[in-house]
């Protein structure tokens, strides 16, 4: 049986800066807190665009407006194929109220992504999506 998990990522822009959130992963790794964008799994029957706006609201309290699909990605974990859709969104405000699962947030420029994000695959995807760096 084929098994899939669909993940959406919200790259939230306010004016000329992008929202990064810090999430705790595991005390057994050197840096248990990682900077990333808002993301999560789609609920069964939920449309991807509805899922990304729901996740942004739930995790940050912001009201997003989808601008475009920035890029897609996929990877395997065991016998599950994870498929991801990254949306570039905008918001009209910058008052963030973090959910309990998040530790901190920053609004940063595109040029600062590599100062925060350590995931090389994500940085490569962002370079192609924004044609910079």
């Amino acid at each position: 049986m084929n098994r899939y998990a669909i993940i959406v990522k919200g790259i939230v822009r306010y004016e000329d800066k992008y929202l990064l959130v810090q999430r705790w992963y595991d005390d057994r790794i050197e840096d248990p807190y990682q900077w990333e964008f808002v993301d999560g799994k789609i609920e069964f029957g939920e449309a991807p665009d509805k899922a990304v706006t729901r996740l942004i609201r739930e995790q940050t309290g912001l009201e997003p407006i989808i601008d475009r699909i920035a890029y897609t990605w996929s990877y395997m974990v065991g016998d599950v194929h994870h498929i991801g859709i990254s949306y570039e969104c905008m918001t009209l405000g910058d008052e963030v109220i973090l959910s309990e699962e998040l530790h901190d947030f920053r609004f940063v420029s595109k040029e600062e992504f590599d100062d925060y994000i350590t995931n090389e695959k994500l940085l490569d995807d962002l370079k192609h999506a924004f044609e910079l760096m």
Side-chain angles (χ1 to χ4, degrees), residues 1-4 79:
M1 179 167 120
N2 292 332
R3 293 179 26 141
Y4 297 93
D79 64 347

mmCIF file of all heavy atoms in Angstrom, residues 1-4 79:
data_model
loop_
_atom_site.group_PDB
_atom_site.id
_atom_site.type_symbol
_atom_site.label_atom_id
_atom_site.label_comp_id
_atom_site.label_asym_id
_atom_site.label_seq_id
_atom_site.Cartn_x
_atom_site.Cartn_y
_atom_site.Cartn_z
ATOM 1 N N MET A 1 0.842 -1.181 0.000
ATOM 2 C CA MET A 1 0.000 0.000 0.000
ATOM 3 C C MET A 1 0.886 1.242 0.000
ATOM 4 O O MET A 1 1.851 1.344 0.754
ATOM 5 C CB MET A 1 -0.873 -0.024 1.253
ATOM 6 C CG MET A 1 -1.775 1.170 1.367
ATOM 7 S SD MET A 1 -3.025 0.896 2.626
ATOM 8 C CE MET A 1 -2.664 2.214 3.732
ATOM 9 N N ASN A 2 0.565 2.201 -0.856
ATOM 10 C CA ASN A 2 1.303 3.461 -0.899
ATOM 11 C C ASN A 2 0.874 4.350 0.259
ATOM 12 O O ASN A 2 -0.308 4.488 0.539
ATOM 13 C CB ASN A 2 1.029 4.192 -2.219
ATOM 14 C CG ASN A 2 1.618 3.463 -3.393
ATOM 15 O OD1 ASN A 2 2.608 2.759 -3.260
ATOM 16 N ND2 ASN A 2 0.998 3.610 -4.552
ATOM 17 N N ARG A 3 1.857 4.941 0.929
ATOM 18 C CA ARG A 3 1.554 5.838 2.045
ATOM 19 C C ARG A 3 2.192 7.193 1.770
ATOM 20 O O ARG A 3 3.379 7.274 1.462
ATOM 21 C CB ARG A 3 2.081 5.244 3.339
ATOM 22 C CG ARG A 3 1.335 3.978 3.705
ATOM 23 C CD ARG A 3 1.839 3.357 4.959
ATOM 24 N NE ARG A 3 2.458 4.319 5.855
ATOM 25 C CZ ARG A 3 2.331 4.312 7.170
ATOM 26 N NH1 ARG A 3 1.626 3.399 7.750
ATOM 27 N NH2 ARG A 3 2.950 5.198 7.913
ATOM 28 N N TYR A 4 1.378 8.228 1.922
ATOM 29 C CA TYR A 4 1.824 9.584 1.677
ATOM 30 C C TYR A 4 1.463 10.479 2.854
ATOM 31 O O TYR A 4 0.450 10.264 3.513
ATOM 32 C CB TYR A 4 1.138 10.166 0.432
ATOM 33 C CG TYR A 4 1.474 9.434 -0.835
ATOM 34 C CD1 TYR A 4 0.665 8.400 -1.287
ATOM 35 C CD2 TYR A 4 2.593 9.781 -1.578
ATOM 36 C CE1 TYR A 4 0.969 7.722 -2.453
ATOM 37 C CE2 TYR A 4 2.897 9.110 -2.743
ATOM 38 C CZ TYR A 4 2.087 8.087 -3.176
ATOM 39 O OH TYR A 4 2.392 7.423 -4.322
ATOM 40 N N ASP A 79 8.644 3.914 5.058
ATOM 41 C CA ASP A 79 7.821 3.619 3.885
ATOM 42 C C ASP A 79 6.791 4.706 3.596
ATOM 43 O O ASP A 79 5.831 4.492 2.868
ATOM 44 C CB ASP A 79 7.120 2.267 4.049
ATOM 45 C CG ASP A 79 6.134 2.252 5.209
ATOM 46 O OD1 ASP A 79 6.163 3.183 6.033
ATOM 47 O OD2 ASP A 79 5.328 1.302 5.285
#
